[in-house]
Amino acid sequence: MSTISTRPAGSTESRSPIGGDAGLRTVRAACPHDCPDTCAMLVGVRDGVAVQVRGDPDHPTTAGALCTKVSRYLERTYHPERVLQPLRRSGPKGSGQFETVSWDDALDDISARLRALAESDPESILPYSYAGTMGFVQGESMAARFFHRLGASLLDRTICASAGAEGLRQVLGGLVGMDVEQFAHSRLIVIWGSNSITSNLHFWSLAQQAKRAGATLVCIDPWRNDTAKRCHLHLQLRPGTDAALAWGVMGELVRNDWLDHDYIQRHTLGFEALRERALQWSAERAAEVCGLEPQQVRELARLLGGTRAAGIRVNYGLQRVRGGGNAVRAIACLPALTGAWREPAGGLLLSSSGHFAVAREALERPDLLGARRPRTINMSTIGDALLHPGGGDFGPRIEALVVYNSNPAVVAPESAKVLRGLRRDDLFTVVLEHFRTDTADHADYVLPATTQLEHLDVLKSYGHRYWVANEPAIAPLGQARPNAEIFRALAARMGFDEACFGDSDETIAAQALAVDPRNAGLDFATLRSRGWGKLAVPDAPFAEGGFPTPSGRCQLAYPPDEQAGRDPLPQVILPYECAQTRPELAARYPLALLSPPARNFLNSSFVNVESLRAGETGPQLLVHPVDAAARGLREGQELRCFNDRGEMRAACRISEDTREGQVITLGLWWRKLSPDGRSVNDLTHQQLTDLGGGPCFYDCLVEVAPA
Ligand SMILES: Nc1nc2c(c(=O)[nH]1)N[C@H]1C(S)=C(S)[C@@H](COP(=O)(O)OP(=O)(O)OC[C@H]3O[C@@H](n4cnc5c(=O)[nH]c(N)nc54)[C@H](O)[C@@H]3O)O[C@H]1N2
Ligand SMILES: Nc1nc2c(c(=O)[nH]1)N[C@H]1C(S)=C(S)[C@@H](COP(=O)(O)OP(=O)(O)OC[C@H]3O[C@@H](n4cnc5c(=O)[nH]c(N)nc54)[C@H](O)[C@@H]3O)O[C@H]1N2
Ligand SMILES: [Mo]
């Protein structure tokens, strides 16, 4: 059991100047962005102006370093294009023409419009939010209370992680796994579906420590990304074939008896069925499906089978395909078969979220629904939802959309439909934002929100095990208000008089931490003074089994009572769009398109920060030399990348880092900041993953041609 590690008392004062500058006050903050690293930050403030942000050197995973993006947080906060006053639409829908309006007028009108809709059918109102900030206060607390009390439609927040989360839950029982800090001691690290240098930098530092100490690093990714280039082995498989690779490895483990029979017998369920299925998977069969050499499958199995302290860092990159949920299930079986969970530096980490004890009901107050059970809309099919005329199983047409912490005009799949929906003249749209994003341009009202430097919050992490507090460093700029304050004000105008609508941000932050042994010694007051604090969770949480499944065992197969006629074992499900499943489509659109994160952006955030945008030099498309030659494409040339759903333009980059038959473009460019006004999501579709109802961003066929 790790002792609760917090900053020692005595170093808790928040006035310790950086570099001995007496006028400089230091405020403890937390990076709010959707990233596993959730860094502890120190903000230097002079005369009410934030002048410096840096990583907290004492926080074990931040270790004094911020990523390129967040080290520019001041540029983002003080950006000349921040929305600092409420705006009301003054031109046609989607034109981006606005006039300024007072808060009172904006809130009066918005609450009147919502009240009128709620009187006929509150389910015609839909909140749309994701992880613009991961804070509990400015995320789903006051906002959730507001929509629950209203009886609005519920939103299924699937856009990132739901397939993998469900896959992991079925095997391990929740979003639980290794302590990321333990990877520093692993002897083998398998980075599976992640470009860690871009998306999980502080994990990469730990992996580097392990590498220096002699560990072997393996990367499994269809793209030879920056991370793959720095690993000892790279298995550059076809996208969407990870489950087949995992089965190939399991076949080798079984045939060679590289198994921990004692661990399997005591702590797993379904091994006999798994064993039988695994024997059907030769290295050759797996290699054939994955587009690899059989030797590569054998090598991965030999490494996993022969290393106890083997840590698998799975990330969400591999579950954005049709079979993503089952791929995570298959991979999650591996550490139980080899007994890697016995070691603190062995096992697997997809997300650490489930280790946190969060008082969700206190924050979100689902009890405010009373007896009402509103329908749930999947955020990944927002295009179809906005265009639905209403009726039948769908229920009422969506008449009002309230967007906060998200940018659906760019991030959601099949943009043509999302934009057509947002342009409906009869849709009333309110967007809480820092900037005039492509989504905000479609609003009837844009409400100016504060950034992390201007409001209070508390955060957990999905990559490490620390709670991190965020103290406001500066006063809100202009007329900006925290999300929670905006929903509090709307609630007051709607006449919601439950006491919870009077909770201050401090009260909400304190409510977030559940009373639970994992939070022992941690409360918001402590976090506030110390900045962060670690959960009391064992270093090797499943060394003696004790998985949070109903059986307490690692579920290699569904338990008998959950099988209900389905295949109890992880399945191999090929993409919706590939030569095997859609040969006629692949004949017209033969190239698989991947659109993973850009290093200088955070999804669509930071695209408008000039210095970071300059680092990405415009939308680019990586094309394999063979595919380029077949189409007569030249380096640097402007390309048209298209399918039946849409197109985007990008500069041609001929590179052997991609596979033959696969093109790659990075990041989610704002439409209005890309040369052709389009986004990669003009090309993607709204079909959902096998588990969890997630989007299939990396399951998409296209063709390219000179523009
Ligand atoms: N700089 C930066 N950091 C970020 C983000 C960002 O946009 N920019 N995004 C944040 C968010 S929202 C998230 S969810 C996290 C995690 O973000 P993830 O989306 O997991 O991001 P990455 O790890 O960068 O990239 C995914 C990797 O998966 C690979 N991949 C694609 N398809 C497959 C497949 O079928 N199989 C396998 N094995 N690999 C595949 C891609 O080639 C890519 O290298 O990162 C966060 N961190
Ligand atoms: N093609 C393709 N599409 C993808 C992905 C991909 O890899 N490829 N990745 C997907 C993934 S993993 C994710 S997580 C989603 C991300 O989708 P989103 O969660 O929508 O992420 P962002 O694009 O970062 O947009 C967040 C917005 O919230 C705003 N914001 C930040 N803080 C606050 C605040 O305190 N208050 C308010 N009101 N607003 C705030 C920011 O200004 C920003 O415009 O995109 C998905 N879309
Ligand atoms: Mo994400």
Side-chain angles (χ1 to χ4, degrees):
M1 174 82 65
S2 58
T3 50
I4 299 159
S5 119
T6 46
R7 183 185 310 276
S11 67
T12 60
E13 62 123 3
S14 66
R15 288 195 153 261
S16 57
I18 301 172
D21 176 343
L24 203 61
R25 192 167 64 92
T26 303
V27 179
R28 298 193 189 292
C31 175
H33 287 292
D34 186 352
C35 169
D37 295 13
T38 310
C39 289
M41 307 199 295
L42 299 177
V43 184
V45 183
R46 188 186 290 116
D47 300 331
V49 178
V51 294
Q52 186 185 50
V53 289
R54 57 179 184 138
D56 183 343
D58 297 331
H59 182 251
T61 60
T62 306
L66 295 178
C67 66
T68 325
K69 309 171 293 295
V70 177
S71 61
R72 307 277 166 77
Y73 203 76
L74 296 180
E75 250 182 271
R76 189 176 188 281
T77 299
Y78 292 111
H79 197 291
E81 288 163 8
R82 272 285 298 277
V83 177
L84 295 175
Q85 276 177 284
L87 303 175
R88 178 166 58 203
R89 179 162 70 87
S90 61
K93 244 308 131 76
S95 65
Q97 294 167 29
F98 295 98
E99 59 195 8
T100 56
V101 58
S102 71
W103 268 111
D104 276 340
D105 287 350
L107 294 172
D108 284 345
D109 193 24
I110 294 166
S111 53
R113 298 285 294 262
L114 295 182
R115 190 180 306 111
L117 286 171
E119 271 161 17
S120 55
D121 191 342
E123 289 186 46
S124 65
I125 301 168
L126 179 70
Y128 195 93
S129 70
Y130 200 64
T133 169
M134 303 239 299
F136 284 109
V137 180
Q138 312 309 337
E140 305 312 320
S141 57
M142 198 53 87
R145 296 173 188 182
F146 178 79
F147 291 110
H148 284 146
R149 174 65 176 78
L150 199 56
S153 288
L154 303 173
L155 185 74
D156 197 2
R157 293 181 172 80
T158 56
I159 201 137
C160 169
S162 61
E166 178 58 15
L168 202 72
R169 191 195 62 75
Q170 293 185 356
V171 180
L172 304 184
L175 287 173
V176 290
M178 279 175 72
D179 181 343
V180 71
E181 292 168 70
Q182 295 294 337
F183 278 95
H185 312 297
S186 299
R187 302 301 300 158
L188 168 68
I189 298 180
V190 179
I191 299 173
W192 204 319
S194 174
N195 184 8
S196 313
I197 294 178
T198 278
S199 67
N200 192 187
L201 186 63
H202 297 78
F203 156 75
W204 179 249
S205 305
L206 297 161
Q208 290 291 98
Q209 281 180 41
K211 191 180 175 189
R212 283 194 293 272
T216 302
L217 268 56
V218 182
C219 182
I220 302 174
D221 199 299
W223 172 30
R224 194 162 166 274
N225 58 32
D226 288 343
T227 308
K229 286 175 187 164
R230 287 163 183 81
C231 289
H232 299 100
L233 286 179
H234 177 205
L235 275 60
Q236 193 168 7
L237 79 184
R238 277 193 196 106
T241 63
D242 301 271
L245 177 58
W247 275 113
V249 169
M250 291 193 270
E252 289 297 299
L253 294 177
V254 169
R255 273 187 298 274
N256 292 294
D257 198 25
W258 291 329
L259 299 168
D260 185 333
H261 290 284
D262 175 62
Y263 193 91
I264 291 170
Q265 196 253 318
R266 289 196 294 132
H267 303 308
T268 73
L269 191 144
F271 176 68
E272 272 317 307
L274 178 135
R275 184 180 174 281
E276 219 171 286
R277 178 81 53 91
L279 286 171
Q280 297 164 19
W281 281 90
S282 63
E284 284 73 15
R285 180 180 172 197
E288 169 78 28
V289 178
C290 302
L292 295 171
E293 294 300 322
Q295 187 44 38
Q296 294 177 291
V297 182
R298 289 195 194 98
E299 179 67 359
L300 179 60
R302 190 188 61 78
L303 286 168
L304 284 167
T307 320
R308 189 52 86 58
I312 305 178
R313 181 59 170 109
V314 200
N315 212 338
Y316 288 110
L318 67 76
Q319 47 99 65
R320 301 195 176 107
V321 290
R322 183 185 188 177
N326 271 280
V328 169
R329 281 184 74 202
I331 296 164
C333 293
L334 297 170
L337 297 177
T338 59
W341 287 119
R342 291 182 191 270
E343 299 281 331
L348 170 145
L349 176 65
L350 171 60
S351 166
S352 56
S353 289
H355 286 299
F356 287 81
V358 180
R360 286 218 177 266
E361 310 234 312
L363 289 171
E364 302 179 7
R365 298 293 305 268
D367 58 294
L368 293 168
L369 283 169
R372 299 169 298 180
R373 290 293 170 267
R375 63 160 169 205
T376 300
I377 301 276
N378 186 335
M379 73 186 301
S380 298
T381 49
I382 186 63
D384 282 344
L386 289 176
L387 295 177
H388 200 291
D393 286 346
F394 184 77
R397 180 177 155 105
I398 297 171
E399 309 285 359
L401 186 71
V402 183
V403 181
Y404 54 103
N405 301 340
S406 187
N407 186 12
V410 175
V411 306
E414 205 173 0
S415 298
K417 290 188 178 168
V418 180
L419 293 177
R420 233 189 315 139
L422 290 173
R423 285 180 188 143
R424 270 175 46 198
D425 268 322
D426 55 355
L427 179 74
F428 179 63
T429 304
V430 179
V431 178
L432 284 61
E433 252 300 347
H434 299 150
F435 294 107
R436 294 259 297 274
T437 60
D438 294 306
T439 304
D441 279 348
H442 290 82
D444 293 282
Y445 281 97
V446 184
L447 301 179
T450 45
T451 69
Q452 190 79 339
L453 300 190
E454 301 152 70
H455 56 228
L456 180 121
D457 221 321
V458 64
L459 290 90
K460 66 170 190 177
S461 165
Y462 62 95
H464 60 62
R465 293 182 178 176
Y466 297 85
W467 286 95
V468 192
N470 184 74
E471 205 62 52
I474 56 172
L477 299 189
Q479 296 180 27
R481 295 186 184 180
N483 288 346
E485 176 55 28
I486 298 173
F487 285 108
R488 204 180 279 120
L490 279 173
R493 277 184 170 65
M494 303 287 287
F496 298 165
D497 53 10
E498 288 80 359
C500 68
F501 290 107
D503 286 350
S504 66
D505 287 6
E506 276 84 356
T507 304
I508 298 172
Q511 289 162 347
L513 287 95
V515 178
D516 186 285
R518 289 168 287 170
N519 290 337
L522 296 177
D523 57 26
F524 186 58
T526 315
L527 286 176
R528 250 184 132 159
S529 63
R530 300 187 172 176
W532 39 268
K534 193 170 190 180
L535 297 172
V537 174
D539 289 342
F542 311 122
E544 290 299 327
F547 293 92
T549 54
S551 58
R553 288 166 175 255
C554 173
Q555 299 187 159
L556 308 173
Y558 294 132
D561 59 320
E562 276 182 41
Q563 289 181 10
R566 45 181 185 169
D567 184 342
L569 290 162
Q571 287 175 275
V572 177
I573 302 170
L574 292 178
Y576 285 110
E577 300 196 347
C578 71
Q580 286 71 31
T581 54
R582 295 285 304 279
E584 72 304 338
L585 184 74
R588 286 194 295 140
Y589 299 116
L591 303 171
L593 170 70
L594 301 182
S595 49
R599 189 163 181 186
N600 291 292
F601 303 155
L602 195 292
N603 301 317
S604 76
S605 297
F606 293 100
V607 179
N608 62 329
V609 175
E610 286 71 11
S611 64
L612 292 170
R613 191 162 73 250
E616 295 292 332
T617 56
Q620 319 248 324
L621 197 69
L622 247 61
V623 185
H624 191 273
V626 171
D627 296 316
R631 291 164 182 79
L633 309 181
R634 284 176 289 105
E635 177 71 13
Q637 181 179 30
E638 194 187 355
L639 298 181
R640 204 165 70 85
C641 178
F642 60 97
N643 60 23
D644 289 340
R645 293 176 289 269
E647 69 165 71
M648 72 174 278
R649 305 270 168 119
C652 180
R653 288 279 165 264
I654 300 174
S655 166
E656 291 192 337
D657 291 343
T658 183
R659 290 176 54 96
E660 204 178 316
Q662 170 183 286
V663 291
I664 305 177
T665 186
L666 300 186
L668 299 175
W669 284 77
W670 285 22
R671 294 169 180 284
K672 57 184 173 190
L673 294 177
S674 46
D676 60 345
R678 311 205 194 225
S679 135
V680 65
N681 280 321
D682 285 344
L683 295 156
T684 53
H685 57 76
Q686 294 178 78
Q687 293 181 90
L688 300 175
T689 50
D690 54 348
L691 302 174
C696 293
F697 292 119
Y698 309 161
D699 180 336
C700 174
L701 286 176
V702 297
E703 179 53 296
V704 299

